[in-house]
Amino acid sequence: MDAEALIRARYGALPFPPAAITDGLALLLDRRVTRRYRPDPVPDALLDTVLAGAQSAPAKSDLQQYSILVTRDARKIAAIADAIGSMPWIKDAPVLLVFCGDIRRGREVCALHGRAHANDSVDTFLNASVDAALAMGFCIMSAEAVGLGTCPISYVRNHLALVAELFGLPPGVFPVAGLTLGFPAARNATSPRLPPSVVVHRERYDDSGLAAALPAYDALRPPGKPRYPEVHGAKPEGCSWSENVARQLSVPERANFRAWLATRGINLG
């Protein structure tokens, strides 16, 4: 594939002269979300192989502190979609995965070896979350490589009790994100990303160019549905990317997450 075309699609410009790329790197650069799925089921062997791709992700100290919940049950998928409310297309996905941080497994392994688990801490919570996120990223790219589409769903954390009940989550296991998976009926357009000058810091962190870079980046993105209109007011013409970021991050979200974790035996001390 044309490296320059892929870079332009990702940044809306050509911020650097790209190197020659392989098909594998082209696949990464062309990644897009899928929110429309064909009804075709995903064959078991294909799904299992994609999940093997997910398990090929690196893990902190090889501890592998994550689990992947898999459901094809349309009733479960619909229950999650209905609870979220704003994403009815989730119901069309033939497979829903939920990537979880799993501290329980380490506790069980310690007990099997007659040792006390001494790492119920923020660091372990972060390590388990990162392990789950890495596995999800590898799953996304494995799925793309075999012609499947995906879309991550952080909203599963808005409905912790429901997810725990539907999947029988024991103490020590917590949802990080969901992922719809299936054969695409259509792929979304490439989503432009912030310019490398804002995200990539060489030798030393420097965000002095952020304010100057945002107008051009906002112009690449079509106006978005205003976030939290009940707090910040309606804006029928839509909001720029940066305005919606400011709207969202100025309203506390998922304030119950820490308390819920405590009820599941995860104390962030």
Side-chain angles (χ1 to χ4, degrees), residues 2-82:
D2 185 341
E4 287 196 8
L6 290 171
I7 295 296
R8 286 186 186 278
R10 186 57 71 198
Y11 294 116
L14 196 66
F16 55 86
I21 60 173
T22 63
D23 289 344
L25 183 51
L27 185 73
L28 285 164
L29 294 171
D30 193 43
R31 187 210 61 82
R32 313 178 201 181
V33 298
T34 296
R35 295 192 178 99
R36 292 177 56 196
Y37 296 93
R38 297 183 350 224
D40 314 51
V42 178
D44 287 343
L46 184 60
L47 177 58
D48 289 342
T49 304
V50 166
L51 293 173
Q55 282 197 264
S56 299
K60 193 271 176 189
S61 298
D62 197 23
L63 296 175
Q64 304 175 62
Q65 296 177 104
Y66 67 94
S67 285
I68 307 170
L69 308 173
V70 183
T71 183
R72 299 178 184 267
D73 187 331
R75 292 170 299 178
K76 284 185 177 180
I77 296 173
I80 291 173
D82 289 341

Side-chain angles (χ1 to χ4, degrees), residues 1 23 26 38 45 64 69 82 95 103 105 109 126 152 173-174 188 210 216 227 233:
M1 296 182 74
D23 289 344
R38 297 183 350 224
Q64 304 175 62
L69 308 173
D82 289 341
V95 179
I103 298 171
R105 185 183 302 118
V109 170
L126 179 61
V173 181
F174 58 94
N188 281 31
L210 175 61
R227 296 174 186 171

Side-chain angles (χ1 to χ4, degrees), residues 11 23 65 77 91 101 104 122 125 146 199 217 225 256:
Y11 294 116
D23 289 344
Q65 296 177 104
I77 296 173
K91 297 179 185 180
R104 173 186 173 85
V122 171
F125 172 77
V146 294
V199 176
Y217 180 67
K225 181 180 178 182
N256 67 326

Side-chain angles (χ1 to χ4, degrees), residues 10-250:
R10 186 57 71 198
Y11 294 116
L14 196 66
F16 55 86
I21 60 173
T22 63
D23 289 344
L25 183 51
L27 185 73
L28 285 164
L29 294 171
D30 193 43
R31 187 210 61 82
R32 313 178 201 181
V33 298
T34 296
R35 295 192 178 99
R36 292 177 56 196
Y37 296 93
R38 297 183 350 224
D40 314 51
V42 178
D44 287 343
L46 184 60
L47 177 58
D48 289 342
T49 304
V50 166
L51 293 173
Q55 282 197 264
S56 299
K60 193 271 176 189
S61 298
D62 197 23
L63 296 175
Q64 304 175 62
Q65 296 177 104
Y66 67 94
S67 285
I68 307 170
L69 308 173
V70 183
T71 183
R72 299 178 184 267
D73 187 331
R75 292 170 299 178
K76 284 185 177 180
I77 296 173
I80 291 173
D82 289 341
I84 292 171
S86 59
M87 302 178 183
W89 53 267
I90 291 173
K91 297 179 185 180
D92 297 330
V95 179
L96 177 67
L97 309 176
V98 180
F99 288 80
C100 297
D102 192 336
I103 298 171
R104 173 186 173 85
R105 185 183 302 118
R107 293 171 177 170
E108 294 295 307
V109 170
C110 282
L112 288 170
H113 284 271
R115 298 184 183 276
H117 186 275
N119 281 279
D120 287 333
S121 63
V122 171
D123 189 61
T124 294
F125 172 77
L126 179 61
N127 288 331
S129 300
V130 171
D131 277 3
L134 286 168
M136 185 173 73
F138 270 58
C139 185
I140 289 168
M141 296 318 305
S142 298
E144 292 262 342
V146 294
L148 294 168
T150 63
C151 185
I153 305 168
S154 66
Y155 266 83
V156 298
R157 296 199 306 279
N158 287 38
H159 304 283
L160 297 162
L162 174 64
V163 173
E165 179 183 358
L166 287 175
F167 293 99
L169 297 189
V173 181
F174 58 94
V176 172
L179 188 73
T180 52
L181 186 145
F183 291 103
R187 298 172 77 209
N188 281 31
T190 301
S191 179
R193 290 302 192 229
L194 287 164
S197 61
V198 170
V199 176
V200 180
H201 305 264
R202 302 186 188 277
E203 310 301 342
R204 186 178 181 84
Y205 189 95
D206 178 9
D207 65 354
S208 59
L210 175 61
L214 284 178
Y217 180 67
D218 282 338
L220 288 174
R221 310 291 297 261
K225 181 180 178 182
R227 296 174 186 171
Y228 290 111
E230 70 280 9
V231 176
H232 301 298
K235 194 168 183 180
E237 69 274 24
C239 291
S240 68
W241 177 86
S242 62
E243 182 179 356
N244 259 338
V245 167
R247 279 175 167 246
Q248 181 168 347
L249 295 182
S250 62

